[in-house]
Amino acid sequence: QVQLVESGGGLVQAGDSLRLSCAASGTVFNIGTGFWYRQARGTQRALVASITESGTTNYADSMKGRCTISRDNAKNMVYLQMDNLKPEDTAVYYCNMDVRVRRAGLFYSYWGQGTQVTVSS
């Protein structure tokens, strides 16, 4: 059983920063690619950033230049540092990871429960 738990969301003002964390726990051998998505009310879930096992990153245009995704393989964690937040960044942010539960096993995709980020103007 694998669980992903996000933390770090909250209510901030425009221009502030937040750092989201996502921890994979349970029967985790290692994590592969990690992703952060967000879903604003009434919209579809959209990719914010991704990071491969080797550290290659990719960012959506919506937050490019204002966020940094990183990871700690030893702790099975992925982070999202968000700077200069805007009211339009208000959304539930979800962590998604490819997780391998045993050596030489397949990667399976898991989702966290989401963490709310609200940016006031």
Side-chain angles (χ1 to χ4, degrees):
Q1 193 79 357
V2 174
Q3 300 85 35
L4 300 189
V5 178
E6 300 108 331
S7 60
L11 172 63
V12 297
Q13 293 186 330
D16 285 351
S17 297
L18 275 177
R19 188 191 194 211
L20 306 182
S21 300
C22 178
S25 63
T27 54
V28 178
F29 179 76
N30 73 306
I31 60 174
T33 302
F35 306 84
W36 285 98
Y37 288 79
R38 69 183 184 183
Q39 186 169 19
R41 187 173 300 178
T43 69
Q44 290 187 330
R45 196 171 297 187
L47 179 68
V48 176
S50 64
I51 184 166
T52 68
E53 190 172 0
S54 61
T56 300
T57 59
N58 185 54
Y59 298 94
D61 290 341
S62 60
M63 291 205 73
K64 192 174 291 185
R66 297 190 296 118
C67 71
T68 303
I69 189 170
S70 60
R71 62 190 289 149
D72 186 330
N73 290 334
K75 296 181 179 179
N76 294 324
M77 294 192 71
V78 176
Y79 307 94
L80 185 69
Q81 174 70 40
M82 302 185 292
D83 301 311
N84 189 24
L85 284 161
K86 303 176 181 180
E88 52 264 41
D89 295 321
T90 295
V92 178
Y93 285 71
Y94 295 91
C95 173
N96 173 233
M97 287 189 197
D98 294 332
V99 178
R100 188 159 51 187
V101 300
R102 58 182 179 275
R103 186 189 300 271
L106 297 176
F107 283 100
Y108 292 94
S109 180
Y110 293 87
W111 288 87
Q113 80 289 351
T115 185
Q116 176 70 46
V117 172
T118 303
V119 185
S120 63
S121 58

